[in-house]
Amino acid sequence: GDNWYHPDELPMAQLYAIGVDMDYPYNVYGGMQDFGSWRGPSTKKGRFPIRFEDWEHMSGGDGFYNQVDPSDSRWLYSESQFGDLRRIDQKTGQRRGIEYDGDEDLRFNWNAPVLISPHNSNVLYHGANVVLRSEFRGEGWEIISPDLSSPDPSKLEGVGAVQYHTITTLDESPHEQGVLWAGTDDGNVWITRDGGANWTNLNDRIPENPGYWVTRIEASHHEPGTAYLTMSGFHYDDFRPFVYRTADFGETWSPIVDRLPDDAVNVIVEDRKNPDLLFVGTDTRVFVSLDRGATWNDLRNDMPVIPVHDLVIHPRENDLVVGTHGRGFFITDISPLQELTADVLLSDAHLFGIEPKVQWVMPSQPAVSSQNFEGDNEPYGVVINYYLGAGVLEGTAPIIRILNGTVVINEIEGSGEKGLNRVEWGMTRRRERTEREKARWDRMQEYLAEDEEFFDYYDTVEYFLEQDEEVDKWGRSLRTRVHQGPGLLEREYLYTRVPPGEYLVELIVGHTVFQRSVTILQDHWYDK
């Protein structure tokens, strides 16, 4: 025991609440158990992974809510335990405490909800046992509700790090300003439709209401009277799922738990584009519904079994950001799910809309430790998603063609498996190599096979290339001090990077051709 090794390459972050900003690429923010709040890139420019050195510590304590002004990422509202809220100027580094300091003796949950109004990003809400509202970035607070909990004098002090009889979730309708929803740890569900002047308790309108801890209320992005509600019986050893939906401002509620296992539910989110697309996070995984909660399906895929404490959908990138309590962040692109309607599922084939892609420039690479954890980047190239239905012959390999105007500049063979499939186009055009170039390629492969692949992490960049400069088949620069492994270059074709602009993608399944356009964006943020 004289010497110990501390393995930092294990992803062990215990996240309570997460946030995102609108930068390019966007950042994710997480409040962590006993480790404060942190910020890191959702993806990293260039080919290398997201490392520990790419993260920044934002504030201390037990980290909880981190909300970023969607109109100006300069302003971050970062919270630690029991309502300790600070405003951080991410441009100057200035930190200022803005927690409530009025005359009322308020109770804040250990993880007290913080909300930026979707109608005015200067307006903040903060949940204690009452709802607090600030007109301007936390410069003073107004109490806009009565005590929304049902205080029992014997439980008011809580136990250890738990304060009881507090608000645990807040949301405001994006459709109708002043429609606020609130839930408490002692089972109360409330709504106000006039900005807090009058509040209505909805407990008796929830069928078979267990009266448990309200983990989340999500106001619909599509209908002003619709909201989703989750409760957890975890504290009572009751692991049944409790998920409800209302379409009439809480007058009536319907349970939506078909095919959910006995697993405590911590969070629910509704997609911003497709009102039928929902996600819930439980104490073991993520589930998805394509039919507004009528049925649910496991979306865990390659995630470990782990409690999911928060979910956020990035409004621009259509990414689902998952905060786990023990294995850090996970991010997945949900854009194909946004289009996966009943008609698509009944079709023989479908080419989904293709998201724009920034051709990132990485002018430098900081020094890194080889012992630190390395997070995955998003795919380097343009991701093309397609669906093959039951009517397609098994094993039929679709062809994906890329066109610049009417000229075919690249071709990719896809998978013929039923269901969702994807290919990646490295933003490249290809041409056949000459016989001389093929002979040079053969000699290079013999040379590369003699040695192991070697990377020099300190001299690798992604920059503005010459138009005819060769890149690997994924579109990445070859001008690095890297001893490449075999297989980065193809023998038959030489690849060069295409410039930013509009391109056409064709999916060919048998004799049927599907078309979609895609935009490659220039990196205007490379020197930020």
Side-chain angles (χ1 to χ4, degrees):
D2 287 343
N3 298 285
W4 287 83
Y5 165 62
H6 180 64
D8 276 346
E9 63 266 35
L10 301 177
M12 303 295 286
Q14 295 176 298
L15 296 165
Y16 285 103
I18 58 178
V20 295
D21 62 24
M22 298 299 288
D23 287 355
Y24 288 88
Y26 71 89
N27 296 291
V28 294
Y29 299 73
M32 300 189 190
Q33 166 71 43
D34 263 337
F35 204 40
S37 293
W38 292 73
R39 177 183 72 182
S42 60
T43 191
K44 189 174 178 180
K45 301 180 179 184
R47 73 180 68 181
F48 287 112
I50 302 168
R51 299 190 175 95
F52 182 81
E53 290 84 358
D54 297 309
W55 287 84
E56 299 176 66
H57 186 252
M58 306 310 296
S59 59
D62 288 293
F64 291 107
Y65 276 83
N66 287 269
Q67 299 292 306
V68 187
D69 188 329
S71 64
D72 187 351
S73 297
R74 177 175 180 173
W75 305 110
L76 166 66
Y77 303 96
S78 184
E79 182 192 51
S80 55
Q81 59 268 41
F82 301 120
D84 185 7
L85 183 62
R86 54 190 68 93
R87 185 182 67 223
I88 299 175
D89 184 336
Q90 299 198 81
K91 183 176 182 179
T92 67
Q94 183 184 36
R95 287 152 165 76
R96 179 178 178 182
I98 57 170
E99 65 275 3
Y100 173 82
D101 62 354
D103 297 332
E104 296 294 325
D105 185 16
L106 304 182
R107 298 184 300 276
F108 287 88
N109 193 270
W110 197 38
N111 183 8
V114 179
L115 175 67
I116 298 174
S117 173
H119 303 281
N120 180 351
S121 62
N122 289 325
V123 174
L124 305 181
Y125 297 97
H126 201 190
N129 57 309
V130 298
V131 178
L132 299 165
R133 185 180 190 273
S134 173
E135 283 287 336
F136 187 76
R137 298 179 183 167
E139 299 285 347
W141 295 91
E142 172 192 8
I143 296 175
I144 63 166
S145 80
D147 188 339
L148 299 185
S149 70
S150 302
D152 177 346
S154 67
K155 299 178 181 179
L156 281 177
E157 296 303 319
V159 178
V162 177
Q163 174 66 274
Y164 198 50
H165 298 307
T166 61
I167 294 171
T168 51
T169 180
L170 275 175
D171 207 7
E172 183 177 19
S173 168
H175 272 276
E176 197 169 314
Q177 188 171 2
V179 175
L180 292 166
W181 304 81
T184 69
D185 54 15
D186 51 15
N188 289 335
V189 178
W190 296 84
I191 186 175
T192 177
R193 298 181 64 178
D194 51 17
N198 297 280
W199 290 82
T200 302
N201 184 282
L202 306 173
N203 290 13
D204 59 355
R205 300 161 203 195
I206 300 171
E208 300 181 9
N209 185 356
Y212 288 154
W213 186 297
V214 181
T215 52
R216 198 61 55 100
I217 299 178
E218 167 92 345
S220 173
H221 296 275
H222 303 275
E223 301 161 355
T226 295
Y228 297 90
L229 164 70
T230 61
M231 296 181 178
S232 172
F234 171 84
H235 303 86
Y236 300 91
D237 292 336
D238 184 348
F239 301 103
R240 291 176 295 163
F242 296 97
V243 187
Y244 301 89
R245 177 180 180 271
T246 181
D248 53 12
F249 296 95
E251 289 296 316
T252 59
W253 295 83
S254 302
I256 49 172
V257 294
D258 187 35
R259 298 209 312 229
L260 283 177
D262 283 351
D263 198 4
V265 179
N266 300 314
V267 57
I268 185 168
V269 291
E270 178 198 58
D271 185 65
R272 293 168 179 259
K273 293 186 176 180
N274 182 349
D276 294 329
L277 183 59
L278 305 174
F279 302 89
V280 296
T282 76
D283 266 355
T284 63
R285 67 198 70 191
V286 177
F287 289 88
V288 60
S289 174
L290 302 174
D291 50 17
R292 212 171 295 204
T295 56
W296 295 91
N297 298 279
D298 188 349
L299 194 68
R300 188 167 60 87
N301 294 326
D302 58 350
M303 282 181 59
V305 174
I306 196 72
V308 174
H309 277 201
D310 204 4
L311 298 170
V312 172
I313 297 175
H314 195 277
R316 184 186 66 226
E317 311 298 358
N318 303 312
D319 287 344
L320 178 68
V321 185
V322 181
T324 73
H325 197 66
R327 295 299 297 274
F329 291 95
F330 289 82
I331 301 177
T332 188
D333 173 24
I334 61 169
S335 59
L337 296 181
Q338 293 173 331
E339 279 187 60
L340 197 59
T341 62
D343 288 341
V344 171
L345 289 169
L346 291 173
S347 67
D348 289 339
H350 181 81
L351 176 61
F352 294 97
I354 305 170
E355 294 191 310
K357 184 70 176 184
V358 180
Q359 210 172 65
W360 296 117
V361 173
M362 184 184 72
S364 64
Q365 170 75 357
V368 297
S369 168
S370 63
Q371 296 178 349
N372 287 340
F373 173 70
E374 296 183 347
D376 295 330
N377 248 357
E378 72 175 11
Y380 182 87
V382 173
V383 175
I384 301 166
N385 296 286
Y386 61 94
Y387 171 80
L388 298 180
V392 176
L393 290 176
E394 193 68 39
T396 299
I399 299 298
I400 295 90
R401 298 197 306 185
I402 314 298
L403 292 84
N404 184 6
T406 59
V407 178
V408 177
I409 61 173
N410 212 327
E411 191 172 283
I412 306 166
E413 183 175 307
S415 166
E417 293 187 10
K418 298 293 190 295
L420 290 172
N421 293 274
R422 62 188 292 182
V423 297
E424 182 181 340
W425 170 48
M427 296 179 281
T428 58
R429 66 170 66 240
R430 72 179 191 181
R431 67 163 175 83
E432 289 192 24
R433 292 187 188 271
T434 65
E435 291 304 316
R436 185 177 179 182
E437 289 171 334
K438 290 178 183 178
R440 187 184 305 137
W441 185 91
D442 290 337
R443 290 194 298 272
M444 178 59 70
Q445 296 307 299
E446 291 176 5
Y447 166 72
L448 293 175
E450 294 175 358
D451 252 330
E452 292 185 5
E453 187 175 17
F454 171 74
F455 289 88
D456 184 341
Y457 291 105
Y458 307 109
D459 190 23
T460 301
V461 296
E462 297 292 344
Y463 56 96
F464 295 110
L465 295 173
E466 298 295 332
Q467 190 169 359
D468 59 350
E469 184 171 336
E470 183 177 5
V471 294
D472 70 19
K473 59 186 179 182
W474 291 285
R476 303 175 305 187
S477 168
L478 298 176
R479 281 209 200 177
T480 61
R481 288 169 54 194
V482 176
H483 183 170
Q484 301 159 5
L488 285 180
L489 304 178
E490 290 186 0
R491 185 179 191 275
E492 300 301 319
Y493 294 99
L494 182 147
Y495 291 85
T496 56
R497 193 181 292 175
V498 299
E502 295 285 333
Y503 297 89
L504 185 67
V505 175
E506 290 185 342
L507 171 69
I508 305 172
V509 183
H511 299 291
T512 307
V513 179
F514 303 86
Q515 291 185 334
R516 293 278 192 171
S517 62
V518 61
T519 303
I520 296 178
L521 302 172
Q522 184 172 335
D523 184 357
H524 296 289
W525 310 274
Y526 75 96
D527 61 347
K528 299 299 183 185

